[in-house]
Amino acid sequence: MLDHPQFTQLRKNLHQHPELSHQERQTAQRILEVFEKFAADEVHTQLGGHGVAFVFNGKQPGPSTLIRCELDALPIQEQNTFAHRSVTDGVSHKCGHDGHMAIITALGATLATRRPVSGRVILCFQPAEETGAGAIDMVNDAKFNALKPDYAFALHNYPGLKLGSVAVRAGTFNCASRGIIIKLKGKTSHAAHPEDGVSPATAMCQIIEQLNQLPQQLAAQGVKDKLWVTVIHARLGEVAFGTAPGEAVVMATLRSETNQAMDTLVEMTQAFSRHYAEQAGLEIEFSFADVFQASVNSQEGCDRVVEACRNTSTEFTLMEEPMRWSEDFGQFTAVARQGAMFALGAGVDTPQLHNPDYDFADQLIPIGHDLFLDLIKQINHFE
């Protein structure tokens, strides 16, 4: 029987003490201390940074099932006034990772007394999900070779979806996204003699206009995947009325349903940006930030989540389209043979993710626990 109050208290404690991506040292230590009493067969630390993983072995050979949650919080000032509000200024758990950790810790408590029959179960606490770097770093860590799973599953709480219900689909579950930074360099001059310099002003405007038109242009060329481009920042020179600018920067978020469509977005953006830069006699430089691959669910992974919903009498919906927001869990389903991420409804009338007044719904802890436990039962079995 799941001790719900115990894990609710753990969740609130984690909420009070959030840490940003790549800084989750104390959060990982708290998880390690709680898991000491669960007597996992293997404990792996410092995976891709501050990541930790706990392995529970079955008595017989069989597949490896990995269940993932996230350690990190966000650089958002909390506006809530409840007792478990964040004690760290400017940092808070506004994505529900505290709740996800509580669910997986509860699963560890169950596995401590109920080992799988075959294979092994890996409970994975991943760092730096919010930057898109954590899963890449963890999967590419040489220590992860010993943990390579056959199945990988994760959930994400989702405001706007009925409390406790599940949404899932085969294929792309979360969109690919990345920030692109385009730097243009010309030559400054006196504002009285702009002809003596090389201004990036025209090229900057052309690039912004082309970025806004890019999804429609690619659709007209026959690209069927949905695409989104959002210009988020632009800067031309400095505020100096005596100077004609010589440098500019344009930043945009590229988003697509598939990794292949993302490759097309990047190639097209770089091509027309170079063209405008060359026309204007400018140097150009590209860089990227917050790179997320599409998170792709296998058909079997989706089917097993649906079966878990049926076995636990959990209401579920098969989504027609993927979530637009991004998640780096796709790194795990890329290396596993099968797997899926699913959304667990946090309630229709609740603040959205990343809002300063958001808080995880503790009622989801036993629901998430039971869904993951059923997935383990399907794959690794219990006596």
Side-chain angles (χ1 to χ4, degrees), residues 123 184 196 228 269 290 331 360:
L123 303 185
L184 302 169
D196 292 336
W228 299 268
T269 298
D290 292 1
Q331 296 293 331
F360 182 83

Side-chain angles (χ1 to χ4, degrees), residues 194-327:
E195 68 277 6
D196 292 336
V198 181
S199 174
T202 299
M204 185 188 80
C205 294
Q206 289 171 322
I207 290 170
I208 291 172
E209 182 178 11
Q210 192 71 24
L211 283 167
N212 288 328
Q213 296 174 0
L214 189 54
Q216 292 78 13
Q217 289 178 347
L218 289 174
Q221 294 175 16
V223 175
K224 296 182 179 179
D225 294 310
K226 290 186 177 179
L227 310 166
W228 299 268
V229 176
T230 306
V231 177
I232 62 130
H233 177 74
R235 187 184 74 246
L236 176 65
E238 303 297 336
V239 181
F241 289 100
T243 303
E247 295 185 354
V249 62
V250 177
M251 299 183 186
T253 300
L254 311 179
R255 194 175 302 275
S256 62
E257 283 189 321
T258 66
N259 294 321
Q260 293 77 13
M262 176 57 68
D263 291 341
T264 301
L265 271 178
V266 172
E267 290 170 7
M268 291 287 288
T269 298
Q270 291 180 321
F272 67 66
S273 297
R274 285 194 183 100
H275 172 70
Y276 293 131
E278 289 172 4
Q279 275 189 333
L282 304 165
E283 296 177 16
I284 188 167
E285 177 185 324
F286 300 98
S287 59
F288 299 93
D290 292 1
V291 178
F292 291 85
Q293 290 190 13
S295 183
V296 181
N297 292 347
S298 70
Q299 185 64 58
E300 181 183 342
C302 176
D303 291 344
R304 288 192 179 277
V305 170
V306 169
E307 183 65 19
C309 291
R310 289 179 173 140
N311 291 340
T312 58
S313 300
T314 303
E315 184 179 333
F316 70 91
T317 301
L318 289 174
M319 301 156 50
E320 294 184 3
E321 297 183 349
M323 299 287 187
R324 286 197 193 182
W325 44 273
S326 300
E327 234 285 353

